[in-house]
Each structure stands twice: as structure tokens, then as C-alpha cells.
Amino acid sequence: AKPKIYPNPSNGILSISIAENGTATVFSINGMLIGKYNLNEGNNSINLNLASGVYILKTETSTSNYS
């Protein structure tokens, strides 16, 4: 199932609901790796604490990838 990611835009705290364990990887708009976070099945909260801007979030599990 497709992950649910909110709010967008974020105030720095991002909530991710995912169907199975996986990872979330954050990239700058230029493709630079910002951080990688482990996700557990269900609801997760990540404190990104990043400067204002546009970022790319990629979620990966053993069965799916979303950007």
C-alpha cells in the first residue's frame, strides 16, 4: 500500500504511515543525501529540523518504493 505522508508542507515534524517496515530517505532538491530513517510498520514520526525549502522523500520497503 502507498505510504501516507503528512503534513505537506511540514513544520519540521513529518508523520509517515506505512504498511511494513522500511526506510525513509530525504534528499535536497539537488540530490544531496540529507538523512535516512528507519520506519516501523504503522505510524512513524520524524523530526527533520531542516531549513525552509523543497526536499525529496523516498520510502522503501521490501515490496515497494515511492518518491
Side-chain angles (χ1 to χ4, degrees):
K2 190 174 182 178
K4 294 180 181 144
I5 303 165
Y6 55 93
N8 185 8
S10 170
N11 62 359
I13 306 291
L14 199 59
S15 296
I16 302 174
S17 179
I18 195 163
E20 61 182 302
N21 293 344
T23 60
T25 309
V26 179
F27 298 93
S28 72
I29 196 69
N30 299 324
M32 188 173 92
L33 175 65
I34 302 292
K36 191 167 188 173
Y37 306 88
N38 290 321
L39 301 174
N40 296 314
E41 179 182 341
N43 296 323
N44 297 268
S45 193
I46 299 173
N47 186 351
L48 295 175
N49 197 26
L50 298 171
S52 294
V54 177
Y55 297 90
I56 308 297
L57 176 72
K58 179 179 181 182
T59 60
E60 296 178 83
T61 68
S62 61
T63 59
S64 64
N65 296 316
Y66 292 96
S67 294

